[in-house]
Amino acid sequence: MIRFVAETGSTNADMLALAEQGAPEGSWLRAGRQTGGRGRMGRHWESPAGNLHSSTLVRVRASDPPAHTLALVAANAVHALIAPLCVGNARIKWPNDILVDGAKIAGILLERAGDAVIAGIGVNVTGHPEDLDRPVTSLKAQGAIETDAGALLERLAALFTHWLAVWRAQGLEPVRAHWLLNAHPRGTAMRVLQPNGEQVEGAFDTLDQQGMLILRLADGQSRAIHAGDIILN
Ligand SMILES: O=C(O)CCCC[C@@H]1SC[C@@H]2NC(=O)N[C@@H]21
């Protein structure tokens, strides 16, 4: 079920509260705008009217793949929503940003409380921040014919349900394989800013079976990265 509120602080915060009150898996919340939108690594997510701000709830089970790999489920769903609408080339950037021709168009934030994982998805539909040090874009700027956030969420919820079912029934492998098809190609040069402040440079190799980024360093060694921000060179 999709609920809509005209304005809230953060749909992720609201969905975490709903999860605590017993909301079932498959619940969705969409806000017209957010006043305290949360981004990854403690950043603010600009959330003006016209864009898509939504969160859904997954109740993880003991038999599921690792909960953090729901990031790949969400990225596959958001990529499938966005790619057909854009003239430019839509790609997933690890861990779960969606870029069009190198400019960020959507972001995903996973938060967990007990068995509840909240997947928060923000899509720049009609607007995007102007003052960032990284390229950003929106569906409107990409010439998309569908720019109604409500209609986009109907489609996104169906795509998320599909990828969640694959993840649960077939495991991580098909989800990971599809993610790799739509992500930066192997050999892409990148710099990783890790949460501890360390920077690592290398070339994208693959995602391992746990969803970790495997980077090939200049000396030929491999490094597994489990968290951080990537800058594509
Ligand atoms: O930093 C990122 O790329 C992740 C951004 C996630 C933003 C979405 S908008 C809906 C949901 N509610 C939030 O407060 N954040 C997520």
Side-chain angles (χ1 to χ4, degrees):
M1 191 192 59
I2 300 177
R3 282 183 48 194
F4 173 73
V5 291
E7 179 181 303
T8 191
S10 156
T11 56
N12 263 32
D14 293 349
M15 193 51 92
L16 276 164
L18 289 168
E20 233 167 68
Q21 293 159 25
E25 178 170 297
S27 304
W28 283 87
L29 178 65
R30 177 170 79 88
R33 54 188 297 271
Q34 297 183 122
T35 52
R38 301 176 183 171
R40 287 183 61 246
M41 318 261 294
R43 283 190 290 257
H44 171 70
W45 182 260
E46 218 170 279
S47 308
N51 285 353
L52 174 57
H53 321 105
S54 60
S55 300
T56 190
L57 165 61
V58 177
R59 297 260 178 211
V60 289
R61 306 170 189 171
S63 54
D64 284 341
H68 70 268
T69 62
L70 282 167
L72 310 186
V73 168
N76 283 353
V78 180
H79 179 271
L81 174 76
I82 286 171
L85 294 171
C86 297
V87 180
N89 184 21
R91 290 237 164 246
I92 302 170
K93 187 186 84 161
W94 187 86
N96 43 24
D97 286 349
I98 309 297
L99 312 183
V100 177
D101 290 341
K104 182 159 170 170
I105 197 163
I108 296 160
L109 176 67
L110 293 191
E111 296 188 86
R112 183 168 187 177
D115 74 338
V117 175
I118 310 302
I121 297 166
V123 181
N124 296 334
V125 179
T126 55
H128 59 73
E130 300 287 351
D131 53 352
L132 297 186
D133 54 357
R134 301 158 266 142
V136 280
T137 190
S138 67
L139 286 176
K140 192 172 166 200
Q142 292 296 321
I145 44 163
E146 180 58 85
T147 56
D148 178 74
L152 288 164
L153 182 54
E154 298 273 349
R155 205 176 308 158
L156 176 62
L159 290 162
F160 188 91
T161 300
H162 165 77
W163 281 108
L164 182 65
V166 171
W167 180 80
R168 208 159 247 160
Q170 299 173 40
L172 182 59
E173 191 44 38
V175 176
R176 173 181 167 272
H178 192 84
W179 189 100
L180 282 167
L181 272 181
N182 293 303
H184 26 66
R186 192 172 197 183
T188 300
M190 51 178 59
R191 190 153 46 96
V192 186
L193 313 178
Q194 298 188 100
N196 64 3
E198 194 197 343
Q199 291 201 22
V200 197
E201 277 196 49
F204 176 64
D205 187 5
T206 191
L207 273 191
D208 75 4
Q209 303 301 323
Q210 306 302 315
M212 288 219 259
L213 176 88
I214 306 299
L215 204 60
R216 178 82 54 200
L217 308 183
D219 63 6
Q221 290 196 343
S222 284
R223 174 83 78 92
I225 309 278
H226 72 275
D229 258 348
I230 278 186
I231 296 162
L232 299 177
N233 294 335

